[in-house]
């Protein structure tokens, strides 16, 4: 069971890397555009293959994603780095509060 899950996770990471999703922001944006262009014809092909009758009006339109992938990535990196830079002072504050709590319990 563990090997199957590990294999699936590894395959997912490999596919993401192979498609350029783990590269720069521009590579990720290009991969997203490629997926948006490829997905509707692939769905139509599978429904034809399986014999399902799906009219074009029944399929929802492809959602338009209007955001900058690089800006979102940069904001996430900034948030993580600011949290890491504040971690030592927060740890000291929590330690002092913990000692006060223990001292109050000992009284």
């Amino acid at each position: 069971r563990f090997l199957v899950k590990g294999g699936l996770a590894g395959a997912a990471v490999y596919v993401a890397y192979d498609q350029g999703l783990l590269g720069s922001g521009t590579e990720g944006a290009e991969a997203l555009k490629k997926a948006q262009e490829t997905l509707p014809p692939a769905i139509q092909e599978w429904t034809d293959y399986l014999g399902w009758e799906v009219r074009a009006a029944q399929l929802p339109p492809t959602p338009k994603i209007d955001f900058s992938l690089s800006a979102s990535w940069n904001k996430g990196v900034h948030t993580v780095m600011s949290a890491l830079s504040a971690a030592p002072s927060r740890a000291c504050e929590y330690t002092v509060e913990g000692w006060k709590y223990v001292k109050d319990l000992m009284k």
Side-chain angles (χ1 to χ4, degrees):
R1 206 183 233 191
F2 176 74
L3 293 176
V4 171
K5 289 180 181 180
L8 289 174
V13 170
Y14 173 75
V15 169
Y17 175 77
D18 188 46
Q19 295 298 320
L21 295 174
L22 300 178
S24 67
T26 55
E27 290 174 356
E30 289 173 11
L32 181 63
K33 286 179 186 176
K34 183 178 169 184
Q36 287 176 337
E37 294 169 358
T38 307
L39 195 58
I43 291 173
Q44 187 64 43
E45 182 180 332
W46 273 98
T47 55
D48 291 343
Y49 177 76
L50 295 173
W52 296 343
E53 185 178 335
V54 178
R55 295 185 200 109
Q58 290 177 339
L59 289 176
T62 306
K64 300 297 180 196
I65 300 173
D66 190 25
F67 74 98
S68 172
L69 192 60
S70 61
S72 298
W73 174 262
N74 291 340
K75 183 178 178 184
V77 169
H78 179 70
T79 302
V80 168
M81 290 301 143
S82 65
L84 288 176
S85 68
S89 61
R90 294 285 175 127
C92 290
E93 291 172 12
Y94 293 147
T95 303
V96 169
E97 289 177 15
W99 278 112
K100 285 181 183 178
Y101 179 74
V102 170
K103 287 180 184 179
D104 290 342
L105 284 178
M106 295 297 220
K107 287 183 182 181

